[in-house]
Amino acid sequence: MRWLLALALLAPVAAASPTLVGVVPDLPGALPGDEGFAVGCPQACDLSGWAVTDGEGRWSFPNGTQFAAGATVWVAGDAATWATFDGPSALALSAGRMTGEFRLANDGDSLQLLDPSGRAVDAYAWGDKQVAGIDRPIARTSPGLVHTRDRAAGSWVDTDRAADWVTPREHRIGETRLDQPIFQVERITLYASPDSSFAILIDLIGATTERLHLHVYELRSAALVDALVAAKQAHPNLDLQVLVDANPVGQTASERHATADALRRVEAAGGKAWLVGNGRYDDWHQKVLVADDAVAVQSENWVDSGVPQDPSTGNRGWGAILHDRASAEWFAAWMGADRAAWDVAPFDLATFDPLFSGWDRPAAPHTGSYGPTVPATTLVGPFKVTPLIAPDHTADPRRDAVVDLLARATVQVEAQQLDFSITARNTLGWSSPDPLLAGLQAASERGVAVRAQAAAPFAADDTGNAEALEELARFGVATATLERPGLPTLHNKGLLVDDAVLLGSMNGNHHSRSENREVDLLIEGPGAAAYFRALFDGDWRGDESPRDVGAIGRDLRGIPAPLPILFVALAVVLWVRKC
């Protein structure tokens, strides 16, 4: 893509001597000295005799402060109260004198790094403060925000400008830096909402005996909670852990009561329920379940519209189950670390919903006119599966697997998204063309057949995705909104690129990729894209068609490789001829 190439041609100056690389004016909590900063160096450094000043006070590094090339040293008022931001490569020092005259003001201040002679070699300013050594302050301040010097090709950028600190991701204290594994999975189950998601999840939960770890943005489906409770009752030693976002956007009082009832029942059954706020991440928007040695990832919340009991109506969404122990262990490990983080707390009914006095369960499932339904299917691989966890793996367009995937497209791309964006930006001042939109446009320009379908406007005065779809159409992308009986909302976040499928909770905008906790799966292997392409084709047509869109799901069920490969090749040929 042209804009990424332009970024690559820039030649930022890499820091060659000790430099400021992180500043946290306001660490979580209200303890004295709840602030910190970091110094890094591309070469092995000895900071003996070096100091920092905020213009009013001064703090000196102890003699013998040494660290390896590329590492950082973090200094905090009380280093024991927070985890070092840069992982095991970082040192941590407690600045016992980071009080009194030397304090980093939360709303605005400056910091200079002084060499042993007292010369200022680097500086940073935030809020409304100015200081020599940097052209202007970064206006953005927020509790827990980590002002972070950008890195290009692994090196800190140092041009003495505020732009050095404008990053695609607004870093926050305690966020994870997950590795990027690739799993070879022998068996996967593919499903969709409203077609099969409820039955698939009920079966998965019912077969579980050891662990059920659910992290979901919203949990209000009484029937799914019934299944969780029943599993715990059937297996008293089952490890049942449920984490939900404490404040989903637009949550009503009734929905809060339903969530409180769900978490109350989980605890009453002997499970553990957790609430997470917007500390490390803006929204905890993931929809992921670890069930024994399987992992289920989907676009839909655990609510009646997202996982409907009656498949004749509900939101459009995609999901997949990895039947793979290595994947399950990896997911369970970082999910457990998330539950242990500083911004997660045990569910407390009185605090979460003080007006709760019970909840009236809906009398019957909703019904509608959606059809024909596409059954779930279990396929035999092997499949190459890459988990993409936001913001760890997706926040920076310069190092984004989705951008790379779109750049490899050669035949066809289908994008089905709740929303598209034209521009990516954040409150630090960073902006660029949106990576997903730019990738779709670039693929179309290369001659790839690209179709993009978005959710229809939610109200008469809502323009919805019209502007983004118009922008895509200018580059030859075929565009549409979902208009299909029985599907009130396109809530999907799906992408099909040749024989690969990307699905999960991550919306098509930079905020979702850089500020939220999201979970996606990139699945490459025989038949996976063909299954969801059949669903997409039905949605694209918008009504029941003489063509049986469920046939692909049934035909692929249980067929081992290499037959699915032949099937996919034949499907691609027929599709190209049709166009």
Side-chain angles (χ1 to χ4, degrees), residues 391-454:
D392 304 59
H393 302 143
T394 62
D396 192 339
R398 298 167 297 186
R399 295 176 287 276
D400 187 340
V402 181
V403 172
D404 295 341
L405 176 67
L406 286 167
R408 301 199 309 265
T410 59
V411 178
Q412 64 188 119
V413 172
E414 288 86 10
Q416 191 178 59
Q417 295 282 328
L418 171 64
D419 68 303
F420 290 99
S421 295
I422 295 177
T423 304
R425 59 169 58 92
N426 64 26
T427 56
L428 292 173
W430 181 87
S431 66
S432 82
D434 183 81
L436 176 60
L437 206 79
L440 295 173
Q441 292 169 338
S444 183
E445 286 188 303
R446 295 196 309 271
V448 177
V450 181
R451 292 185 288 172
Q453 187 175 46

Side-chain angles (χ1 to χ4, degrees), residues 11-306:
V13 178
S17 62
T19 185
L20 294 169
V21 297
V23 178
V24 190
D26 189 7
L27 286 165
L31 297 175
D34 63 343
E35 51 204 25
F37 63 89
V39 173
C41 184
Q43 304 168 353
C45 293
D46 185 343
L47 291 182
S48 301
W50 288 67
V52 291
T53 179
D54 65 347
E56 298 176 351
R58 178 181 173 126
W59 183 86
S60 299
F61 287 91
N63 289 332
T65 302
Q66 300 177 350
F67 58 107
T72 54
V73 55
W74 273 96
V75 182
D78 181 4
T81 64
W82 61 292
T84 57
F85 179 67
D86 282 302
S89 66
L91 301 174
L93 299 176
S94 289
R97 288 179 290 166
M98 195 178 288
T99 56
E101 292 184 351
F102 180 63
R103 297 196 66 178
L104 305 182
N106 296 347
D107 296 331
D109 208 338
S110 65
L111 192 65
Q112 289 181 305
L113 178 64
L114 311 176
D115 68 12
S117 69
R119 179 177 64 95
V121 298
D122 195 24
Y124 182 65
W126 62 97
D128 58 356
K129 298 295 182 180
Q130 298 279 356
V131 69
I134 190 169
D135 62 342
R136 62 176 177 85
I138 291 288
R140 171 74 164 136
T141 61
S142 175
L145 179 68
V146 182
H147 299 260
T148 307
R149 184 182 293 275
D150 195 18
R151 291 195 184 205
S155 299
W156 289 293
V157 179
D158 187 8
T159 65
D160 294 334
R161 297 183 303 149
D164 299 345
W165 296 75
V166 176
T167 54
R169 174 179 177 180
E170 293 187 32
H171 292 280
R172 295 196 171 273
I173 205 68
E175 65 189 23
T176 56
R177 294 196 172 189
L178 297 177
D179 60 329
Q180 179 67 89
I182 297 176
F183 298 104
Q184 179 170 297
V185 178
E186 296 299 325
R187 189 166 60 96
I188 63 174
T189 297
L190 308 177
Y191 61 95
S193 286
D195 305 65
S196 56
S197 56
F198 182 81
I200 283 294
L201 292 178
I202 289 294
D203 288 347
L204 180 64
I205 295 169
T208 302
T209 61
E210 297 178 0
R211 64 180 170 191
L212 282 169
H213 297 173
L214 172 66
H215 289 197
V216 65
Y217 187 54
E218 295 182 276
L219 175 63
R220 297 195 305 273
S221 169
L224 290 176
V225 175
D226 286 345
L228 295 174
V229 169
K232 178 64 175 175
Q233 292 173 339
H235 304 282
N237 292 328
L238 183 144
D239 181 19
L240 175 59
Q241 308 266 356
V242 175
L243 178 145
V244 301
D245 193 296
N247 296 290
V249 175
Q251 186 181 65
T252 66
S254 177
E255 290 170 342
R256 198 167 191 83
H257 296 335
T259 303
D261 185 71
L263 299 180
R264 178 186 63 82
R265 292 174 58 204
V266 166
E267 284 197 333
K272 293 184 179 179
W274 305 90
L275 294 169
V276 58
N278 58 346
R280 295 185 297 154
Y281 310 108
D282 193 10
D283 290 305
W284 291 71
H285 195 244
Q286 66 214 299
K287 292 91 177 174
V288 57
L289 171 70
V290 174
D292 287 351
D293 292 338
V295 180
V297 172
Q298 62 189 44
S299 60
E300 300 313 292
N301 285 300
W302 284 42
V303 299
D304 291 337
S305 59

Side-chain angles (χ1 to χ4, degrees), residues 2 17 52 116 133 145 168 183 270 318 534 536-537 576:
R2 290 192 299 268
S17 62
V52 291
L145 179 68
F183 298 104
W318 296 352
F536 183 92
D537 286 343
V576 172

